[in-house]
């Protein structure tokens, strides 16, 4: 998962099929989704939601446990991670996808969660990162992709250091890089230097 991109990427074992990508909802400010490497420890169909005490303090009208069904915010499928307080799950509130809307869990559209659920195996690794800048090279051309949010502090100087470490500075057009940085488009933009003879 890349929190900055609000996307989950599924890499099939063995590399025999194409990588899949799903939009996600992530932890809101103050209840941030944790970064790190985890494992799937449990697959749950029709999960019960054991409402955390922190949420019940905010919303005391909630019961301590919500049974499976349309009122359950976990949806029909859930994957429990090795950090026990974090789930990857469906939702009954699809408007929260593509936003900071959870108390740390990762939400998917119900159909996406159902599709992912059948592909994931217990013990599979899960890596959660916050990578607002992605850099790549294809056919000798340099591309950059920005997913900066208001609180991200990655600046052009830091990006130039990364490019220097990868010996790419001589291959990029600084004007294209700066435009891509400020446009913050969320898709790959070519920044290769082209000779203007």
């Amino acid at each position: 998962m890349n929190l900055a991109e609000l996307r989950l990427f599924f890499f099939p074992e063995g590399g025999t099929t194409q990588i899949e990508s799903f939009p996600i909802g992530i932890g809101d400010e103050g209840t941030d989704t944790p970064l790190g490497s985890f494992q799937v420890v449990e697959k749950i169909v029709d999960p019960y939601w054991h409402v955390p005490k922190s949420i019940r303090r905010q919303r005391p009208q909630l019961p301590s446990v919500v049974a499976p069904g349309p009122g359950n915010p976990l949806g029909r499928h859930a994957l429990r991670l090795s950090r026990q307080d974090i789930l990857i799950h469906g939702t009954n509130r699809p408007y929260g996808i593509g936003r900071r809307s959870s108390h740390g869990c990762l939400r998917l559209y119900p159909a996406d969660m159902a599709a992912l659920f059948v592909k994931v195996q217990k013990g599979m690794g899960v890596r959660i990162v916050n990578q607002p800048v992605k850099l790549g090279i294809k056919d000798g051309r340099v591309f950059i992709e920005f997913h900066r949010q208001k609180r991200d502090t990655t600046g052009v100087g830091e990006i130039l250091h990364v490019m220097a470490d990868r010996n790419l500075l001589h291959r990029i057009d600084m004007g294209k890089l700066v435009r891509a940085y400020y446009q913050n488009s969320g898709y790959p933009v070519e920044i290769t230097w082209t000779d203007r003879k």
Side-chain angles (χ1 to χ4, degrees):
M1 260 83 62
N2 184 2
L3 302 185
E5 201 169 352
L6 296 166
R7 300 293 293 186
L8 178 152
F9 296 91
F10 178 74
F11 295 84
E13 291 183 356
T16 56
T17 58
Q18 193 170 3
I19 296 168
E20 294 181 67
S21 173
F22 303 97
I24 57 175
I26 65 173
D28 203 352
E29 300 222 12
T31 57
D32 297 298
T33 300
L35 303 176
S37 295
F38 310 96
Q39 284 188 319
V40 175
V41 296
E42 186 179 9
K43 293 178 66 172
I44 310 162
V45 176
D46 291 328
Y48 283 80
W49 182 38
H50 298 271
V51 184
K53 290 179 183 175
S54 60
I55 296 175
R56 290 194 70 213
R57 279 193 292 275
Q58 295 172 356
R59 297 171 55 197
Q61 73 279 13
L62 286 174
S64 59
V65 178
V66 176
N72 187 320
L74 301 182
R76 297 251 6 248
H77 301 90
L79 302 169
R80 184 172 303 286
L81 301 185
S82 48
R83 178 167 165 169
Q84 293 291 311
D85 59 338
I86 300 298
L87 297 170
I88 301 170
H89 61 81
T91 184
N92 65 347
R93 297 181 183 121
Y95 56 82
I97 307 302
R99 300 178 12 180
R100 292 179 150 275
S101 60
S102 80
H103 282 80
C105 288
L106 299 144
R107 297 177 176 173
L108 282 83
Y109 288 117
D112 289 347
M113 188 62 213
L116 180 67
F117 190 84
V118 298
K119 296 172 185 172
V120 170
Q121 302 301 316
K122 190 174 171 183
M124 187 175 272
V126 174
R127 189 163 170 237
I128 303 173
V129 300
N130 185 26
Q131 188 175 336
V133 182
K134 294 165 68 177
L135 180 65
I137 300 171
K138 183 174 183 179
D139 299 328
R141 297 159 47 205
V142 182
F143 293 85
I144 198 156
E145 182 176 333
F146 291 100
H147 296 276
R148 293 178 299 107
Q149 297 168 359
K150 292 176 186 173
R151 63 188 197 156
D152 290 324
T153 58
T154 305
V156 173
E158 292 173 81
I159 296 163
L160 291 175
H161 283 293
V162 170
M163 291 184 173
D165 291 344
R166 295 183 184 176
N167 197 27
L168 292 174
L169 284 179
H170 67 285
R171 296 176 63 182
I172 66 158
D173 182 319
M174 185 59 105
K176 290 179 182 177
L177 170 64
V178 170
R179 273 192 302 281
Y181 178 84
Y182 285 107
Q183 287 173 347
N184 193 31
S185 64
Y187 55 81
V189 175
E190 185 178 359
I191 58 169
T192 312
W193 172 260
T194 52
D195 194 3
R196 297 182 179 89
K197 290 183 180 176

